Amino acid sequence: GCCRLLCKPSALAQHLVRSLGRSLALWGGHWPWSRWPQLQMLRQLLQLPKLELPVARELLQLPDAGLVALDWVMGPRRAGNSSGGGGPSSVLLLIPNAAGKVTGALLELGLQGLEQGFIPVIFNRRGHNGCPLTTPRLQSFGDPGDLREVVTYLRCRHPSSPLLAVSEGSGSGLLLAYLGESGSSSCLAAAACISPIFRGRDWFEAGMPWLYEWPLLLHLKRGLSRYTGSLAEVVDMDRLLGSRSLRELEESLFCRTKSHPTSWEAYWERNEPLHDVDEVAVPVLCLCSVDDPVRGPPASSLPLELFRSSPYFFLLLTPHGGHCGFPRRRPGRCWGHEAVLEFFRAMAEFLPVEERRKGLLRPH
């Protein structure tokens, strides 16, 4: 339809264009009000979750005795491989935004994945979404350490299943940082980012529309207030709970600590999502909208040169879609989810064939 795919020319890119071209999700049928991203955002904030998916929670203990939670989405799943073949189903790791808010859209993606033969599991960071905070330490914006432990665990639990990852909004900073730090050892077959934040520092410093920032800030404060006793050992809780912006809260949590204070500049040297982007070695689809009011203007917030130069990054850019919106006429449906799942199917078709071809061409 009106979408554009920006990427470096390659056989993989050609295959992806053909696959996405076959997807009905990208051809028309969108709501007329898709041109008003602020209205979409208001609808997302005010709409009560329609889905109450049954999940099986699993707590994973980390090397420092901290805990993260994995919520396995339960329910009827289509028989057979998620890629249409005869092999094992793919594990679909869902990463919420940086505030840990599991949105209705993320639950809908999990349900769609389940219906199409994937094994969806939601990653909850320390202290998020009811996960107990057992150490006075939270996960910073671009620290992939906990995610690395989760991926290792999933690989051990499902050793023969392809592992895929999808992140939503600001949660993409974590996924991109993990892919860059891990390089060819990421254990992921492919990844996708829905409305990602590419430049973390610029995003915090620019701020967001109050319609989005204040609900997110209140959500974070409400969650952190549960751990006032343990966090008071390392941060100034009065300053933290009195923060009037996401930047102030981020600085209070990770820069103005009592034990290891650091500067705002030094913090972002370690936490920028793209600081090791040249090391990424798996296909990554980034689904973005030109009118995203949260990410900011495309000219300054989209790393267009990355998609032109890297063979692993693909930008699916649409004029209208808002932030993690991409609505369709069918209630509760997001055409972006269908595009992401189609991308994973395309990778499952292409990569094994390419590996076999390279094996035949490789000299003995």
Side-chain angles (χ1 to χ4, degrees):
C2 296
C3 296
R4 290 188 300 143
L5 186 68
L6 181 62
C7 57
K8 184 176 181 178
S10 65
L12 176 57
Q14 292 175 5
H15 179 76
L16 183 56
V17 168
R18 289 193 296 269
S19 297
L20 293 177
R22 293 195 301 263
S23 175
L24 296 178
L26 272 68
W27 293 92
H30 305 162
W31 279 106
W33 55 268
S34 65
R35 296 177 181 271
W36 291 288
Q38 298 288 359
L39 185 59
Q40 292 179 41
M41 188 187 306
L42 184 62
R43 177 176 176 270
Q44 291 177 43
L45 291 172
L46 296 180
Q47 185 179 30
L48 295 175
K50 295 181 179 179
L51 292 172
E52 292 185 3
L53 293 181
V55 297
R57 170 155 290 194
E58 189 174 15
L59 295 176
L60 180 64
Q61 188 172 45
L62 305 170
D64 68 346
L67 293 176
V68 295
L70 298 176
D71 288 337
W72 297 88
V73 181
M74 311 300 290
R77 185 162 56 91
R78 190 185 71 184
N81 188 305
S82 48
S83 63
S89 298
S90 301
V91 176
L92 185 63
L93 178 61
L94 305 175
I95 303 174
N97 59 38
K101 188 173 179 60
V102 180
T103 63
L106 196 70
L107 291 175
E108 177 62 37
L109 176 57
L111 179 60
Q112 284 185 252
L114 193 69
E115 292 172 346
Q116 297 184 27
F118 294 87
I119 305 173
V121 56
I122 302 171
F123 166 58
N124 300 287
R125 310 186 198 203
R126 304 171 186 232
H128 284 182
N129 194 26
C131 178
L133 185 66
T134 55
T135 61
R137 177 177 176 268
L138 294 166
Q139 189 172 21
S140 58
F141 190 83
D143 176 10
D146 292 355
L147 182 58
R148 187 187 314 112
E149 296 291 334
V150 167
V151 170
T152 301
Y153 171 72
L154 294 177
R155 171 57 57 223
C156 293
R157 176 164 174 168
H158 293 273
S160 58
S161 297
L163 181 56
L164 310 167
V166 184
S167 56
E168 188 178 61
S170 53
S172 300
L174 183 62
L175 179 56
L176 291 170
Y178 168 75
L179 291 171
E181 184 178 289
S182 302
S184 59
S185 303
S186 71
C187 297
L188 296 179
C193 302
I194 301 175
S195 298
I197 303 300
F198 293 102
R199 298 185 170 100
R201 179 178 178 179
D202 292 346
W203 182 67
F204 274 95
E205 291 179 352
M208 291 177 294
W210 66 268
L211 187 63
Y212 183 83
E213 183 160 10
W214 275 95
L216 202 59
L217 188 61
L218 291 175
H219 173 78
L220 280 166
K221 287 182 180 181
R222 185 166 59 246
L224 292 169
S225 64
R226 297 173 54 198
Y227 306 111
T228 299
S230 57
L231 288 177
E233 303 174 17
V234 292
V235 299
D236 183 341
M237 290 303 296
D238 290 336
R239 174 189 286 273
L240 178 68
L241 298 178
S243 301
R244 300 181 61 84
S245 68
L246 289 175
R247 173 179 174 169
E248 287 183 29
L249 187 138
E250 192 80 3
E251 280 191 282
S252 298
L253 268 179
F254 302 109
C255 298
R256 303 176 184 271
T257 59
K258 297 177 180 179
S259 53
H260 299 93
T262 186
S263 67
W264 183 244
E265 292 75 16
Y267 174 76
W268 285 110
E269 285 179 6
R270 300 188 303 271
N271 284 275
E272 275 293 355
L274 300 181
H275 73 280
D276 286 323
V277 71
D278 292 339
E279 302 299 322
V280 175
V282 299
V284 183
L285 176 71
C286 296
L287 177 58
C288 298
S289 172
V290 172
D291 65 354
D292 187 336
V294 173
R295 186 197 64 243
S300 58
S301 62
L302 291 178
L304 298 180
E305 187 55 36
L306 170 65
F307 298 99
R308 297 189 181 103
S309 60
S310 172
Y312 295 106
F313 279 89
F314 303 87
L315 174 63
L316 188 59
L317 187 63
T318 176
H320 307 288
H323 185 72
C324 302
F326 312 103
R328 296 189 67 188
R329 287 187 179 275
R330 184 176 177 183
R333 287 284 179 172
C334 164
W335 66 260
H337 295 164
E338 298 178 40
V340 165
L341 296 177
E342 181 63 36
F343 168 73
F344 288 145
R345 283 190 289 270
M347 296 302 101
E349 293 171 357
F350 180 84
L351 296 177
V353 173
E354 187 68 6
E355 285 299 315
R356 287 195 296 269
R357 186 186 69 84
K358 288 181 178 180
L360 290 174
L361 296 177
R362 191 177 296 119
H364 296 288

